Amino acid sequence: MITKMKKLTFLVYHKEYEDFLNSLRELGVVHIVEKQQGAAENAELQDNIRLSARLAAALKLLQNQKHEKDAVIAANGGSAERGLQVLDEIDALQTEHSKLLQQQQTCGKEKDALEAWGNFEPEGIQRLKDAGYVVGFYTCSEGNYKEEWEAEYNAMIICRISSKVFFITVTKDGEEVDLDVEQAKLPSQSLAQLEAQYANTETALEENEKKLVALSETDIPSLKEALKQVQTEIEFSKVVLSTEQTAGDKLMLLEGWAPATSKVEIEAYLNDAHIYYEITDPTPEDNVPIELNNKGFFAWFEPICKLYMLPKYNELDLTPFFAPFFMIFFGLCLGDSGYGLFLFVGATAYRLLAKKLSQSAKSIISLIQILATSTFFCGLLTGTFFGANIYDLPLPFIQRLKSAVFMDNNDMFQLSLILGAVQILFGMVLKAVNQTIQFGFKYAIATIGWIILLLSLAFSALLPKVMPMGSTVHLIIMGIAGVMIFLFNSPGKNIFLNIGLGLWDSYNMATGLLGDVLSYVRLFALGLSGGILAGVFNSLAVGMSPDNVIAGPIVMVLIFVIGHAINIFMNVLGAMVHPMRLTFVEFFKNSGYEGGGKEYKPFRK
């Protein structure tokens, strides 16, 4: 259900405009029509947007810090002013961290280069050079090293590492050394100095990280307050930029939307403030913001609809119409009563034990509970409980339940196709309703013709004794449906164009409808594959456990728990994705759903 909206137009004297906007923000129910006049050129807005991004990144950095078990984390308090100071401190720590990290990497490379040569003082090499002796550092493979270099250049092997020889030569200053090997360029510091420098840098990095952890324990609330304040200023700037100036910049014109239920409250405020305003109904050309207003069971499925897109203001909200189907589809895809019971108990326990839950979190938990309940009852159709078949138990109650609800694979396959056909036909009915609401009844005649045609074919196939296929009554019904399909698919156009478009629609319907119905086979396939995999884990748990009184049960339980945990994760993911696919593609397409609505976001702090 879509909340009814009213269009608001304000005309305010420029000197009173800022106070008016502050009061409007306190009211918190008006969605401002954003026109973004000069937003890209507004320096203050762009600065605030960049500041908001920096604050969000800093907040995420602090929230990702790891704390000690006994650490006390500040949950509330703080100020926006302190948050901006924390941002500067984090920037300084991040800059220092980058410098230290670069320094550590450079030091590490130089240390690695010296390890093969050992710890010596570079000053000693320089003293030898001052005395007239040059020390050269070389590396080569063992096959390329020649022993005559020891006599010719006073070569001395320092070490051998992985068939690589590290050696030095000692020659008089000015004497040419002709070696076809790689000459090493060593750092100007000793290995001991580099190791000390590396350790100091590592200590400095640890201190840097401790400072970040300390900030995360005390100043996250301050960062959140600063981020809220900056976002409020951004919204305020956007509203100012959405204002039109009239009468020589003396009057400010602003447009917005508000729920019809808030009309009395808004009128009372505007009358007290002596503001000129107009409240009107939306026209078909208006881009009205959308606020979904479903209650109870249907409200829990609104996040799923929002994953696709919101409806337009003048079309049906399909959330109440796909919710029951989605619930059943999820249960069939997961298809295990044990998994359903596990999810229900887990969600219920979390709801009871959690100290503070937001309204959105409560809605998500309620959705999990209802989907888990559907899974439990859909699992009874096949008798699957954690991969085992409960209908193998010789209990009278279980056997009566089996005779009442049990379905084999052939039955489950047919059930999937029947559900698909029902949802697609239901979608076509909604399409006819949508077309009637948006354009008028004559635009829905062709869709109604298709519904009549498909229902007549289904009725003749299921009840041939009541209305045989091809009988006079059936042919009359099909003839009426054909006239509706071929002559009313594009009202107001040429009759021959209508017939041509009718033929094209017939081709698309014949090819598309079959594919759409067959898509629902995934409901049967996912449930079957999940049950088979659960049974495989049960077999592994029993077959791979050792014949030992202590180790056997432990191994069996571990395989059972880990295997079913993997299976639950994979199947829950599939049980969410594939019903969404059936809803967003098959159902929305056949119901003529266009979407594209913009979410209602009132101007408030």
Side-chain angles (χ1 to χ4, degrees), residues 292 301-312 315-319 322 326 577 579-599:
L292 299 181
F301 291 84
E302 285 182 0
I304 295 174
C305 181
K306 291 177 181 178
L307 284 175
Y308 186 71
M309 66 175 72
L310 290 169
K312 289 182 179 179
E315 69 177 335
L316 287 174
D317 171 24
L318 296 185
T319 304
F322 77 73
F326 191 96
V577 171
M580 276 196 280
R581 194 265 183 198
L582 293 173
T583 301
F584 296 159
V585 179
E586 275 73 24
F587 181 62
F588 280 10
K589 179 184 70 174
N590 286 286
S591 61
Y593 185 80
E594 294 182 11
K598 186 177 183 180
E599 187 176 3

Side-chain angles (χ1 to χ4, degrees), residues 452-461 466-481:
I452 293 172
L453 177 64
L454 294 174
L455 286 176
S456 68
L457 290 172
F459 191 81
S460 295
V466 178
M467 188 175 71
M469 185 81 68
S471 64
T472 303
V473 175
H474 186 225
L475 291 176
I476 291 172
I477 293 174
M478 291 183 66
I480 295 172

Side-chain angles (χ1 to χ4, degrees), residues 420 424 511-520 582 585-586 589-590:
I424 288 172
T511 54
L513 196 61
L514 179 62
D516 290 344
V517 173
L518 290 177
S519 292
Y520 288 81
L582 293 173
V585 179
E586 275 73 24
K589 179 184 70 174
N590 286 286

Side-chain angles (χ1 to χ4, degrees), residues 486 489 495-505:
F486 286 96
N489 58 74
I495 186 173
F496 297 106
L497 181 61
N498 272 312
I499 293 173
L501 292 173
L503 290 171
W504 177 248
D505 287 344

